[in-house]
Amino acid sequence: MLFSALAAATLALLGSSPAQAGVIPQKRATVCNGHAELCNRSYGNVTYFGSHDSFAFSKDPLALAADQNVDIPTQLGLGVRMLQAQSHKNDLDGEIHFCHTSCLLFDGGKVVDYLKTVKTFLDANPNEVLTFIFTNPEGLDLKTVWAPAFEQSGMDKLAFVPPKPGTPVKQSEWPTLGEMIDSGKRVVVFLDAGADSGAVPYLMPEFQMIWEPPFSVTDPNFPCKVDRIAGPLSTEDHMYMINHNLNTALFGDDDLLVPAKSKAKTTNAVPSILANANGCTPIGGNRAPSFLLLDFVDVGEGQKAANLLNGLPA
């Protein structure tokens, strides 16, 4: 650690080394989410490559509810830094699982096991900031259902707590990635429902800080409008996510939608992603989206698109 001439002279007069004088060098992150350029960038001013229904991975062509081809460690290895998942209480064991619509349709296993898997990655990669966006359609209790899964996995120790729990964080008020990594609080957790009470401060209400365009889209042009938003903040004070996961109607029935896997290479290509992002930019304060939510993240160019939106080399 470098000291000024005055500081060095003072230490010399005291006859002590920096350590003896109680000066402890502070560790600073120099590479954040793989890029030095992102360390001084606000969390709210970064675009993250995201995985839709991240738990729902299968190579079985008959698994029509599967939204991903590869498992969580592989997704993270591809550069995914936002993991989305849908929760349900499993009637067989009474525990919270990640399941697609119903645990009978696609059961991705216990939430606590999923979190342990991600925690293993984070422990091995201490300079990464990660986001969870979880759905809570049954309104499961924060303290008795959600918090235990985070505590048993150790994920609660890494979870970011806003400066004023219960108050939405404006897009412009987030700390930098470097500050989050330095503090050890580098996992941001949003729930789509049931997180308004502030009972568990690190489980934050998604729509008070993130707006979304329509989901379950079947139009490959991804027309943009604000579909889900809540709270006192303006649209410009929210971050936003583009739901860039295309669906197709099974047997022509709009009530039976499945992921358009055969079109994933085109959907997940840079031109399609950037066109979607550009369509939402005027609504989002002329900023790039914070999150790109994709199916089949191993297909196409999701990470390349995120890099371009971040102003980084593709």
Side-chain angles (χ1 to χ4, degrees):
M1 184 175 184
L2 296 176
F3 292 85
S4 68
L6 178 60
T10 301
L11 289 172
L13 288 173
L14 292 173
S16 59
S17 67
Q20 291 170 332
V23 179
I24 301 174
Q26 185 174 356
K27 182 181 178 182
R28 294 287 184 184
T30 56
V31 176
C32 304
N33 283 29
H35 298 276
E37 299 93 327
L38 295 181
C39 287
N40 291 324
R41 190 89 62 88
S42 160
Y43 169 84
N45 193 33
V46 175
T47 298
Y48 305 92
F49 179 23
S51 172
H52 175 236
D53 277 344
S54 55
F55 65 92
F57 53 86
S58 175
K59 293 187 180 297
D60 183 353
L62 298 180
L64 298 181
D67 288 296
Q68 302 297 336
N69 295 321
V70 293
D71 62 14
I72 299 298
T74 303
Q75 293 176 35
L76 293 169
L78 290 170
V80 167
R81 291 299 176 267
M82 189 278 278
L83 295 167
Q84 188 270 349
Q86 181 181 144
S87 72
H88 290 277
K89 185 176 180 180
N90 189 303
D91 291 333
L92 296 178
D93 61 12
E95 296 195 47
I96 184 172
H97 286 222
F98 283 136
C99 301
H100 192 296
T101 306
S102 162
C103 291
L104 295 176
L105 181 62
F106 195 107
D107 188 347
K110 296 178 183 179
V111 170
V112 65
D113 293 335
Y114 174 104
L115 292 176
K116 286 178 180 177
T117 297
V118 180
K119 177 73 162 44
T120 297
F121 170 84
L122 290 170
D123 288 344
N125 295 273
N127 286 348
E128 299 295 323
V129 174
L130 184 76
T131 303
F132 292 125
I133 298 181
F134 295 153
T135 72
N136 187 27
E138 296 158 4
L140 299 176
D141 186 72
L142 301 186
K143 286 188 174 180
T144 61
V145 178
W146 281 99
F150 277 80
E151 292 163 2
Q152 291 167 25
S153 65
M155 193 66 76
D156 62 317
K157 301 294 191 299
L158 300 179
F160 173 82
V161 176
K164 299 178 182 178
T167 301
V169 182
K170 291 183 179 180
Q171 179 273 339
S172 60
E173 294 179 345
W174 287 89
T176 66
L177 296 194
E179 289 169 340
M180 296 174 76
I181 290 168
D182 292 342
S183 73
K185 303 298 184 180
R186 53 195 178 93
V187 175
V188 183
V189 189
F190 295 105
L191 290 185
D192 73 333
D196 296 318
S197 66
V200 181
Y202 57 80
L203 298 177
M204 296 180 288
E206 176 190 359
F207 297 121
Q208 289 193 20
M209 289 175 261
I210 301 169
W211 66 262
E212 288 189 26
F215 60 101
S216 297
V217 178
T218 56
D219 183 345
N221 294 312
F222 293 96
C224 190
K225 66 178 181 178
V226 178
D227 185 60
R228 291 185 288 180
I229 191 171
L233 300 183
S234 68
T235 305
E236 290 193 3
D237 283 331
H238 280 65
M239 297 180 287
Y240 70 98
M241 174 167 69
I242 59 170
N243 292 310
H244 198 77
N245 40 289
L246 189 66
N247 296 272
T248 188
L250 198 62
F251 309 119
D253 186 342
D254 288 339
D255 292 327
L256 295 175
L257 298 180
V258 296
K261 188 172 184 177
S262 64
K263 299 179 180 179
K265 188 173 182 179
T266 299
T267 301
N268 292 356
V270 165
S272 179
I273 296 171
L274 294 189
N276 190 351
N278 290 336
C280 286
T281 294
I283 307 173
N286 293 315
R287 299 189 313 269
S290 295
F291 307 104
L292 311 176
L293 192 64
L294 274 60
D295 285 335
F296 312 115
V297 296
D298 61 316
V299 178
E301 304 169 304
Q303 183 58 62
K304 182 178 179 179
N307 286 343
L308 290 170
L309 289 167
N310 283 321
L312 300 169

